[in-house]
Amino acid sequence: MLQKKLLITLTTARGSRQYTLGQLARYLLALFLVMAVCSFFVSNLLLVQTSDELEDLEQGINSLSSQYEMTLGTQEIQKGQLDQLSHTLQELKVERDQLQEENLRIGELNDTLDASLYGLEDLLGLPPSEDMTSGRADELTVMTNQRLFFLSIMPNGEPIQGLRINDHFGMRMHPVRKKRVMHNGIDYKANIGTPVYATADGAVEYAGYNKSSGFGNLIILQHGLGFKTYYAHLSKLKVKSGSYVSKGQLIGLSGNTGTSTGPHLHYEVRHLYRAIDPEPFVAWNIGNFDSLFSNVKGVKWASLQKLYPLNQALQTAQQ
C-alpha cells in the first residue's frame, strides 16, 4: 500500500528540487491556507467596516466642526448684540439722566415762571390768582402788552430828576408879571445842564428858541392819541424838529432861558391843544394803570374802550 505524500517541486536557475511532506504536514499546510484565506476575507471585511466607520466618524467630525463654527458665529452675533444692547442701555441711561435734569430745570423754570407771573399780577395791581393756569398767564401777557403799549405812546413818568417841584398846575401869582395867571404845567427846580428826557415815544414838532411864549429854548413832542408834551427854559437842545424820539431818550438839558427867575424845567402835558395837569401822568405807571382814566377828567376816555378793555372805574367815571 502506498502512503500518501505531498510532493513539492521548487524550480530555480540551477535546476529543480523536489520535497516530500508527510500527511500531517499536508493537513497543517491546508489548515494554514484555509486560515490565511479566512483571515484575508475577515480582514477585508473588517477593513471595509472600519473604513465605513472612519467615513462616518469623519462625517461626524465635519458635522461637529460645522456646528462648532456655527456656534462660534452665533456667539459672535450674540456678543455683538449684547455689546449693542449694552451701548443702547448706556445711551438710554444718559438720556434718562438728561431728561431727569431737564425735568428738574423745567420744574425750576415753572416755579420761577409762576413766581414771575404772581409778581406780574402784583406789578399790575391785580389780586393774586388761586391757581396760575396757562389761560391766566396768557391773560396777564395780553394785559401787560396792552399797558406797555399805552405807556409808550402816552406821557408818563418824570421828565427830569429835579430837586423838587416849585410850582404846580393851576392859578398862581406869576413871579415876573406879579399877577395871577394860569400855570399850565409844573416847574421842576433843577441845576443848569440837568438831563431832560422824553416821557413817551413821539415826533419832535418844535425844537428851538421861542421868544413870544417866554419859554426860551423849547421842545414840543407829539405823542399818540392826541397828546403833546412841552419842555421849556432849556439850556441846550439835543433833538431837531421832525425827528423821532423814544420814551426815556435824552432830548435836552435844563436851563434858565426865556422868562424865568431861576434854573428849572417847565413841563406841560396837552391833549388836543388843551393843557392838562401833568401830575397824574407823572405818577402814572403799569401798577396804577387804571387810575389815570379815573383821575383825569378832561379826556373822553370812553372812546378808548374800543382799543382797550378799561376797568369799571373808567366806565363809572364816564356815566
Side-chain angles (χ1 to χ4, degrees):
M1 181 173 181
L2 297 176
Q3 294 181 351
K4 296 180 178 180
K5 295 182 179 180
L6 177 63
L7 181 65
I8 299 175
T9 300
L10 296 176
T11 301
T12 64
R14 297 178 179 180
S16 299
R17 297 184 68 177
Q18 294 182 343
Y19 299 92
T20 302
L21 297 177
Q23 187 175 11
L24 177 59
R26 293 197 301 270
Y27 288 152
L28 291 175
L29 181 59
L31 179 61
F32 173 76
L33 292 176
V34 171
M35 291 180 64
V37 172
C38 292
S39 175
F40 174 76
F41 284 106
V42 170
S43 297
N44 284 339
L45 179 62
L46 291 175
L47 180 61
V48 171
Q49 184 177 359
T50 303
S51 178
D52 292 340
E53 290 177 354
L54 287 175
E55 185 176 353
D56 292 340
L57 181 60
E58 183 178 2
Q59 292 179 351
I61 291 174
N62 291 335
S63 177
L64 288 175
S65 177
S66 299
Q67 292 178 1
Y68 177 72
E69 291 178 356
M70 291 178 60
T71 302
L72 288 179
T74 303
Q75 289 179 347
E76 289 294 329
I77 294 175
Q78 291 176 345
K79 182 177 182 299
Q81 292 176 343
L82 288 174
D83 292 341
Q84 182 64 32
L85 180 60
S86 176
H87 181 68
T88 302
L89 290 175
Q90 185 65 28
E91 289 181 343
L92 289 175
K93 181 179 181 298
V94 172
E95 291 180 1
R96 183 199 64 187
D97 294 340
Q98 291 176 346
L99 286 175
Q100 288 178 345
E101 293 178 1
E102 189 67 21
N103 287 336
L104 289 175
R105 286 197 296 269
I106 291 175
E108 292 174 355
L109 287 175
N110 286 336
D111 293 340
T112 303
L113 179 60
D114 286 345
S116 299
L117 291 174
Y118 284 118
L120 183 58
E121 282 186 328
D122 183 62
L123 178 63
L124 296 175
L126 303 174
S129 301
E130 294 182 1
D131 185 20
M132 186 56 67
T133 63
S134 59
R136 179 57 172 169
D138 292 340
E139 181 183 351
L140 291 175
T141 301
V142 171
M143 185 179 298
T144 301
N145 290 333
Q146 288 174 332
R147 293 191 178 189
L148 290 176
F149 169 73
F150 279 91
L151 287 168
S152 69
I153 66 170
M154 291 172 56
N156 61 93
E158 294 187 343
I160 189 174
Q161 292 184 349
L163 300 177
R164 63 177 180 273
I165 295 179
N166 280 346
D167 283 314
H168 297 270
F169 179 85
M171 296 297 296
R172 67 163 187 175
M173 180 64 68
H174 195 281
V176 177
R177 299 175 186 175
K178 302 300 181 181
K179 63 178 182 179
R180 287 182 62 81
V181 295
M182 181 64 185
H183 187 232
N184 289 329
I186 54 178
D187 290 343
Y188 289 92
K189 180 176 175 60
N191 297 325
I192 295 176
T194 303
V196 177
Y197 305 98
T199 55
D201 298 344
V204 181
E205 178 183 305
Y206 179 84
Y209 190 87
N210 193 291
K211 184 177 180 179
S212 60
S213 65
F215 284 153
N217 287 326
L218 172 67
I219 294 176
I220 302 175
L221 301 182
Q222 290 185 2
H223 308 291
L225 304 178
F227 287 93
K228 292 183 181 183
T229 50
Y230 284 58
Y231 310 80
H233 307 300
L234 300 173
S235 63
K236 191 172 184 179
L237 307 176
K238 294 290 187 178
V239 293
K240 295 181 179 180
S241 298
S243 60
Y244 292 96
V245 297
S246 58
K247 177 177 173 59
Q249 179 178 332
L250 176 67
I251 58 174
L253 303 177
S254 64
N256 192 32
T257 58
T259 305
S260 173
T261 59
H264 72 285
L265 170 70
H266 176 81
Y267 174 65
E268 292 186 13
V269 175
R270 298 193 182 191
H271 183 257
L272 301 179
Y273 303 101
R274 187 172 64 85
I276 302 175
D277 186 358
E279 292 195 41
F281 292 87
V282 171
W284 189 39
N285 56 53
I286 195 170
N288 61 4
F289 185 80
D290 294 324
S291 63
L292 183 74
F293 309 115
S294 301
N295 296 334
V296 178
K297 304 296 183 180
V299 180
K300 295 181 180 179
W301 300 114
S303 58
L304 281 179
Q305 291 178 0
K306 296 179 181 179
L307 301 178
Y308 180 81
L310 301 179
N311 65 348
Q312 186 64 36
L314 170 60
Q315 299 178 22
T316 302
Q318 297 300 324
Q319 291 177 354

